[in-house]
Structures are given as C-alpha cells and as structure tokens.
C-alpha cells in the first residue's frame, strides 16, 4: 500500500461521524460525545464476517454512568440508525494521574 492510498482513506467517514455525534449530543443532551469510524483492512477471505465491513465507536466523555433505561435508549438509537452493536460498556472509572474509562458503544456497519 502506498502512502497516498492511506492518506486518501483517512477521514472517509468524517461527515457520518459529525452527523451521529451531533444527533447524539442533541437527543441525549450530552455536550461531550466523540464518534470515530473506519474501515477494516482489505484482503479478507470471502467467509470472513468482517469482509467489506467498517467499524465505529461512540464515547460519552462524562464522569459517570448512565441510568440503565437511558443507556438502553442510547444503544437502541444507534441500532435504529442501521449499525450493529458489537460491544457496549456503561462504565466510568478513573486511574488518578493515568487515564479515564468512559461509557462507550462499539459497532459495525456495511462499508
């Protein structure tokens, strides 16, 4: 793969990231939502479930966990957008001076 190929692929989902981020922020009144999306590397076998798939992650940059009902509504909302949830974690923790763990939802979608 050439460097120019990598550069052309970077940011291919910027519009979708921005749109989903804005929708989640507005719908759930959360100011710090971060969405990232990308495409799995090519060259996969035909029977590989990730062939022609892309991935995404929503991170809610809040220092708390959500009520179960609100979390379920967030997960359902993302599913309703056509994404397949692969993992979700309504968990907040911090390791002082090291890092934070924020609630997040991982998903896949057809590229």
């Amino acid at each position: 793969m050439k460097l120019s190929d990598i550069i052309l692929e970077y940011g291919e989902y910027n519009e979708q990231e921005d749109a989903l981020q804005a929708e989640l922020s507005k719908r759930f009144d959360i100011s710090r939502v971060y969405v990232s999306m990308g495409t799995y590397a090519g060259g996969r076998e035909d029977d590989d479930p990730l062939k022609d798939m892309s991935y995404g992650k929503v991170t809610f940059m809040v220092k708390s966990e959500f009520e179960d009902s609100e979390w379920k509504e967030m997960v359902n909302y993302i599913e309703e957008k056509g994404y397949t949830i692969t993992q979700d974690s309504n968990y907040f923790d911090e390791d002082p001076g090291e890092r934070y763990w924020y609630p997040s939802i991982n998903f896949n979608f057809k590229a």
Side-chain angles (χ1 to χ4, degrees):
M1 180 179 290
K2 298 182 294 189
L3 181 59
S4 61
D5 293 336
I6 295 170
I7 292 171
L8 290 175
E9 290 177 17
Y10 177 76
E12 64 186 314
Y13 293 111
N14 282 349
E15 289 180 23
Q16 292 94 323
E17 291 170 344
D18 293 344
L20 183 57
Q21 188 170 305
E23 291 170 18
L24 290 167
S25 290
K26 183 177 179 181
R27 181 175 175 113
F28 297 102
D29 193 28
I30 303 167
S31 61
R32 295 187 64 206
V33 178
Y34 179 73
V35 177
S36 61
M37 296 179 178
T39 301
Y40 289 107
R44 295 178 178 271
E45 298 293 324
D46 288 339
D47 61 347
D48 187 331
L50 297 179
K51 182 176 176 70
D52 300 327
M53 295 296 287
S54 294
Y55 59 88
K57 182 175 185 177
V58 178
T59 304
F60 299 93
M61 310 284 283
V62 295
K63 293 184 176 183
S64 65
E65 296 169 2
F66 294 96
E67 293 292 327
D68 287 341
S69 61
E70 186 176 19
W71 184 253
K72 187 172 221 162
E73 186 180 345
M74 291 174 178
V75 170
N76 289 339
Y77 182 77
I78 293 170
E79 284 181 322
E80 290 169 4
K81 304 295 283 174
Y83 302 117
T84 302
I85 305 300
T86 57
Q87 182 180 18
D88 68 277
S89 174
N90 183 18
Y91 177 76
F92 171 78
D93 197 14
E94 66 179 294
D95 191 359
E98 297 292 322
R99 67 165 287 185
Y100 293 97
W101 288 267
Y102 296 105
S104 63
I105 300 171
N106 296 347
F107 57 89
N108 284 341
F109 60 99
K110 193 77 168 159

